[in-house]
Amino acid sequence: NGIMALNSCNVHVYQNTLINSSVGFNRDGRSAVGDHFGWHPATGPDVKERIGHVFVNNILYADKDYKKPLMSLWQPAALCDSIKESPLKQMDYNVYIKDSKNNFRQLMLWSPAKEKNCQQAIELLVDMQKLFAGSSANSKVIIDKNLAIFKSKELGNYQLSNNFGKSIKALKLPLDIQKLLKLSANYSPYVGAYQPK
């Protein structure tokens, strides 16, 4: 399970708590021109228009056994010369949590990049910030050493614990998203799927 946006534009992803799941913003070279299934690519944005995604106020958690990147931006190497722009327009106020016993180092895979196959492995937020300027200044990577991050992982209660939740910055959502989530106008911003009580 997880979130996958393929050959899309303007996908806005807010307020999720993802446990042992990945997020992907992927694009390939498939377009309506010369495609045998023209109805499929013709219903979405063309190759160079697959941009504008937002990823804000999310929690991504990996336990000791989850050995995959928590997030990936992918495009084939063949597109790297023609498409150098990130598909994301905003990415911040996210929390990436890994169990301290998890020795899988890759936090993310990022495209487009100058590395082989157009993709770069990211281990630290500062490395990602170099690839996508202005991103993740308010995000955090936490290596979980039995911290009381969630109210009860064992019982499947992934609300942030009261003390931990107060230490995490979050961005106030646009009004249309506030309405969708039935949040009052004066709510306190939070990360993850569960509003603190």
Side-chain angles (χ1 to χ4, degrees):
N1 294 343
I3 297 171
M4 175 66 69
L6 174 63
N7 293 340
S8 306
C9 67
N10 302 317
V11 174
H12 291 200
V13 179
Y14 297 102
Q15 305 302 152
N16 293 279
T17 298
L18 299 165
I19 308 299
N20 294 332
S21 300
S22 297
V23 173
F25 293 96
N26 301 339
R27 58 189 173 192
D28 61 27
R30 190 172 180 187
S31 75
V33 178
D35 192 275
H36 296 293
F37 302 99
W39 61 269
H40 178 126
T43 59
D46 200 10
V47 178
K48 291 190 176 182
E49 297 167 346
R50 295 167 185 166
I51 55 175
H53 304 313
V54 172
F55 190 70
V56 170
N57 288 356
N58 299 288
I59 297 173
L60 294 89
Y61 176 83
D63 70 14
K64 63 183 177 59
D65 299 315
Y66 191 73
K67 309 292 187 182
K68 296 178 183 175
L70 290 172
M71 186 171 187
S72 69
L73 277 73
W74 176 85
Q75 68 185 46
L79 289 181
C80 267
D81 288 337
S82 58
I83 301 180
K84 300 178 187 297
E85 182 181 1
S86 171
L88 293 168
K89 75 173 181 183
Q90 184 181 13
M91 178 180 173
D92 206 353
Y93 297 92
N94 300 298
V95 182
Y96 308 88
I97 306 170
K98 293 181 81 172
D99 188 294
S100 60
K101 294 175 185 164
N102 186 331
N103 59 6
F104 185 77
R105 298 284 178 232
Q106 292 180 5
L107 184 66
M108 301 175 198
L109 287 175
W110 194 272
S111 278
K114 294 177 182 174
E115 303 294 317
K116 184 180 178 184
N117 296 324
C118 192
Q119 196 160 52
Q120 182 171 335
I122 303 293
E123 294 183 14
L124 304 170
L125 283 182
V126 68
D127 296 329
M128 198 261 325
Q129 291 163 353
K130 291 174 187 173
L131 289 173
F132 182 33
S135 70
S136 295
N138 298 288
S139 294
K140 279 191 174 189
V141 173
I142 296 166
I143 305 302
D144 178 9
K145 298 178 181 175
N146 296 320
L147 298 172
I149 292 171
F150 299 112
K151 290 199 172 174
S152 178
K153 277 190 300 190
E154 296 74 22
L155 297 176
N157 183 347
Y158 291 102
Q159 284 184 304
L160 291 178
S161 67
N162 291 335
N163 290 335
F164 184 78
K166 291 175 185 173
S167 70
I168 301 295
K169 290 181 182 178
L171 184 67
K172 191 136 189 175
L173 296 170
L175 284 174
D176 57 337
I177 306 297
Q178 287 179 41
K179 288 177 184 175
L180 280 172
L181 296 176
K182 297 181 171 62
L183 297 170
S184 65
N186 61 349
Y187 86 101
S188 295
Y190 60 97
V191 295
Y194 305 101
Q195 186 177 13
K197 294 182 180 178

